[in-house]
Amino acid sequence: MGKKGDLSNFERGMVVGARWASLSISQSAQLLGFSRTTISMVYKEWCAKGKTSSMRQSCGRKCLVDARGQRRMGRLIQADRRATLTGITTRYNRGMQQSICEATTRTTLRRMGYNSRRPHRVPLISTTNRKKRLQFARAQQNWTVEDWKNVAWSDESRFLLRHSNGRVRIWRKQNENMDPSCLVTTVQAGGGGVMVWGMFSWHTLVPLVPIGHRLNATAYLSIVSDHVHPFMTTMYPSSDGYFQQDNAPCHKARIISNWFLEHDNEFTVLQWPPQSPDLNPIEHLWDVVEWELRALDVHPTNLHQLQDAILSIWANISKECFQHLVESMPRRIKAVLKAKGGQTPY
């Protein structure tokens, strides 16, 4: 029913086990479903060599890239992560007696665990700001989740009415490139968008504040006095709360700094390091809103509908979701320390 080389190592072990249990060759063959010849040959090999693993060599053409070649190819990848398949193949073939094609390069790279992927986008961090991020992480490295519960996180975000998604792919024939069903329409500046200001803490989400046009210092002062101040004084009556904001120009305007200075006995403004969206958990809430917008069965067709959808999605974010983000803060701080102020996976 089968030959010796066709058996897996597990099946070969079963053969030996059956014979060891004093079953005859015929009984073993009937029990396991293999021929008597296969049973006999496997058992004889075990008696002679004490092995049940198959010594049969794999079939097919010999691999053109051996272990040494894989190490060479790995060094080429490490030297230039953005190299194309053609470039890697060309560099690999230089000085080699036997050249390989791009298909072999692709197969070898996959065998080594490499795959072509879009690079993860991270902010460019200058040397100066890297030091500031590291200083911030060191200052807060002993904060526990209980400490981070006293922080109110804030940020602004803009959501477009239409998205230009370069990842969309379609199936079409060669002459169907201008077929209406094969087109993706685009509009200038995304067809307009809605900007909102948001804030949350461990305890609750603050309702979003729509921003009419651009956010300047005067408009931001209204947000701070009408939304931030009542929230901080109500949520942290013992004046042990921290308000987080990034370093946007309108946040650092003189009238804003003077206002915070006048109310420094009520709460503290957290000194935030530049270029640190990975440390602000509200960024992940913006992602949630974006994902939910794209998942809508009926997409907004005008800015009013878009704003209503954004406000609704934000209001329905679960408490477990934003509390989990606050709980991640000690891990984020450790990630910055490990990266010495550089980029983190968050």
Side-chain angles (χ1 to χ4, degrees):
M1 185 173 180
K3 296 182 180 180
K4 180 176 68 169
D6 294 332
L7 272 64
S8 66
N9 290 339
F10 176 73
E11 291 170 333
R12 296 168 70 84
M14 292 177 61
V15 170
V16 174
R19 295 289 289 124
W20 187 259
S22 300
L23 295 179
S24 66
I25 292 179
S26 299
Q27 290 173 328
S28 300
Q30 185 177 4
L31 176 66
L32 301 177
F34 296 106
S35 68
R36 297 175 70 256
T37 302
T38 299
I39 300 294
S40 178
M41 293 179 69
V42 171
Y43 186 66
K44 286 180 179 179
E45 183 180 15
W46 180 80
C47 292
K49 300 179 181 179
K51 296 181 178 180
T52 59
S53 59
S54 175
M55 302 300 291
R56 181 186 179 188
Q57 297 296 323
S58 59
C59 300
R61 181 181 177 184
K62 182 180 179 181
C63 183
L64 294 177
V65 183
D66 56 11
R68 183 178 180 182
Q70 289 186 14
R71 291 194 296 270
R72 173 182 169 85
M73 195 170 291
R75 289 193 295 270
L76 293 175
I77 292 292
Q78 295 294 331
D80 186 5
R81 292 282 187 173
R82 300 185 180 185
T84 62
L85 197 63
T86 302
I88 297 171
T89 305
T90 302
R91 293 190 186 99
Y92 178 87
N93 287 335
R94 290 173 185 169
M96 299 295 289
Q97 294 181 350
Q98 188 173 16
S99 62
I100 62 174
C101 63
E102 293 183 13
T104 301
T105 301
R106 182 187 296 107
T107 301
T108 303
L109 290 176
R110 287 178 177 174
R111 187 181 299 118
M112 295 170 63
Y114 288 104
N115 288 285
S116 179
R117 295 286 187 268
R118 288 182 174 86
H120 184 65
R121 295 183 178 273
V122 294
L124 178 64
I125 302 176
S126 65
T127 303
T128 300
N129 289 337
R130 182 187 290 259
K131 292 180 181 179
K132 292 180 179 180
R133 282 166 54 85
L134 189 58
Q135 291 173 356
F136 177 84
R138 286 172 175 168
Q140 268 71 40
Q141 63 180 330
N142 293 324
W143 277 31
T144 65
V145 173
E146 292 301 316
D147 296 314
W148 291 110
K149 288 181 180 180
N150 292 332
V151 178
W153 310 91
S154 71
D155 193 25
E156 302 87 27
S157 186
R158 182 177 179 84
F159 299 92
L160 298 178
L161 184 61
R162 300 181 185 274
H163 304 276
S164 177
N165 192 343
R167 298 187 180 186
V168 173
R169 294 179 179 272
I170 59 171
W171 293 98
R172 68 171 177 84
K173 296 179 180 179
Q174 186 175 3
N175 60 346
E176 293 180 331
N177 58 318
M178 294 305 297
D179 188 285
S181 63
C182 298
L183 300 177
V184 175
T185 58
T186 61
V187 290
Q188 205 169 20
V194 173
M195 178 176 283
V196 292
W197 175 89
M199 181 171 66
F200 86 100
S201 72
W202 163 270
H203 308 283
T204 187
L205 285 173
V206 177
L208 292 180
V209 178
I211 300 171
H213 299 285
R214 58 188 298 269
L215 185 63
N216 55 27
T218 303
Y220 187 62
L221 181 60
S222 298
I223 291 176
V224 169
S225 59
D226 296 343
H227 300 277
V228 175
H229 184 246
F231 177 83
M232 297 300 295
T233 53
T234 301
M235 193 60 63
Y236 306 104
S238 301
S239 303
D240 57 348
Y242 292 84
F243 174 67
Q244 180 276 337
Q245 61 177 2
D246 60 22
N247 296 283
C250 63
H251 298 172
K252 295 298 182 181
R254 181 173 297 180
I255 58 173
I256 303 299
S257 300
N258 291 339
W259 189 95
F260 282 130
L261 191 61
E262 294 173 2
H263 297 81
D264 63 354
N265 62 325
E266 296 175 308
F267 60 90
T268 303
V269 177
L270 198 61
Q271 297 302 311
W272 196 247
Q275 297 174 316
S276 300
D278 56 336
L279 284 174
N280 191 350
I282 201 173
E283 296 289 346
H284 293 267
L285 294 185
W286 297 138
D287 289 339
V288 170
V289 175
E290 185 70 45
W291 295 333
E292 292 294 332
L293 280 175
R294 298 194 179 207
L296 290 175
D297 294 330
V298 179
H299 293 274
T301 57
N302 55 56
L303 296 182
H304 180 72
Q305 292 178 1
L306 177 61
Q307 178 175 302
D308 289 344
I310 294 170
L311 298 181
S312 175
I313 292 171
W314 175 271
N316 286 283
I317 294 177
S318 68
K319 195 171 185 179
E320 292 78 9
C321 177
F322 61 78
Q323 287 186 347
H324 176 72
L325 292 175
V326 175
E327 291 171 351
S328 71
M329 283 309 301
R331 298 192 297 273
R332 294 170 187 255
I333 294 296
K334 288 181 180 179
V336 174
L337 292 172
K338 184 178 180 180
K340 300 186 186 312
Q343 291 91 347
T344 69
Y346 291 94

